[in-house]
Amino acid sequence: MGWERELFGVLDDLEQQAEAAYDLERAAELADRSRAEYQQVTLASRLVASLDREVVLEVRGVGPTAGVLERVGTGWCHLRAPGQDWVVHLPAVLAVRDAAERSVPEVAWPATARLGLGSPLRRLAEAAERCVVRTVEGTAHDGTLSRVGADFVEVRTGGTGRVVLVAFTGLAAVQSRDP
């Protein structure tokens, strides 16, 4: 009986070694998979996970823009800050501070998150709110939005009433102020 116990002891030891080797191999495989899957995570999906948080966006042509992230849509986000709101075009975002550590995959986004940049701009145009349209080059157009096209917005400037067309590709953010 002694040799059986010894044999089972050796077999148990071999089994534990095999389990440990498998666990190491599995951990490396999971780490590789995790890195590979993370490449599918978008900035927008991280922002959706950051809704209702105070964040700071570094926006091309505008600089740091801080506020509570209230909404994220396809290609844009909405920040609320004291005395002003920002509709930020995501291609103009250079960096984000204080975002959530997790992300929300696009399939889990609410239907309203699929609305494009034109949607919040049309709301501002309908409300005839005074705002400042800021471009990625740093130009500011102060006035009201009048109409929104497929890839541009019309800004009726303050004193002159001139209409400036701002292409979405050059749009950094629209800043609206509370009255």
Side-chain angles (χ1 to χ4, degrees):
M1 292 278 207
W3 66 272
E4 286 178 349
R5 190 174 284 162
E6 200 172 304
L7 178 63
F8 285 129
V10 168
L11 291 175
D12 282 343
D13 186 47
L14 287 174
E15 190 174 316
Q16 288 174 358
Q17 287 178 26
E19 269 185 46
Y22 174 78
D23 288 345
L24 284 174
E25 191 175 305
R26 178 93 171 122
E29 180 184 334
L30 288 175
D32 284 345
R33 239 188 239 176
S34 176
R35 281 189 292 274
E37 286 297 318
Y38 196 74
Q39 73 184 1
Q40 304 300 317
V41 174
T42 63
L43 176 63
S45 68
R46 288 288 302 271
L47 291 176
V48 169
S50 302
L51 288 172
D52 299 323
R53 287 178 70 124
E54 177 90 22
V55 297
V56 178
L57 304 178
E58 293 284 339
V59 182
R60 181 181 291 121
V62 177
T65 306
V68 175
L69 188 58
E70 290 207 333
R71 183 165 293 163
V72 177
T74 302
W76 63 277
C77 67
H78 173 233
L79 285 179
R80 179 168 302 279
Q84 61 189 346
D85 282 356
W86 291 89
V87 174
V88 179
H89 195 202
L90 287 185
V93 174
L94 301 172
V96 178
R97 290 193 300 259
D98 304 320
E101 288 291 322
R102 60 185 195 85
S103 70
V104 176
E106 195 168 333
V107 297
W109 293 5
T112 56
R114 289 169 181 58
L115 298 173
L117 178 61
S119 181
L121 297 180
R122 278 189 290 281
R123 188 199 64 77
L124 287 170
E126 288 168 4
E129 290 183 36
R130 184 181 150 266
C131 45
V132 180
V133 176
R134 299 181 180 267
T135 69
V136 294
E137 297 297 323
T139 306
H141 301 284
D142 195 345
T144 58
L145 305 185
S146 54
R147 295 186 294 183
V148 180
D151 59 354
F152 70 97
V153 61
E154 291 181 3
V155 184
R156 187 164 305 278
T157 58
T160 65
R162 287 185 24 223
V163 173
V164 177
L165 306 180
V166 178
F168 286 175
T169 56
L171 180 71
V174 177
Q175 176 186 21
S176 63
R177 293 185 169 94
D178 290 341

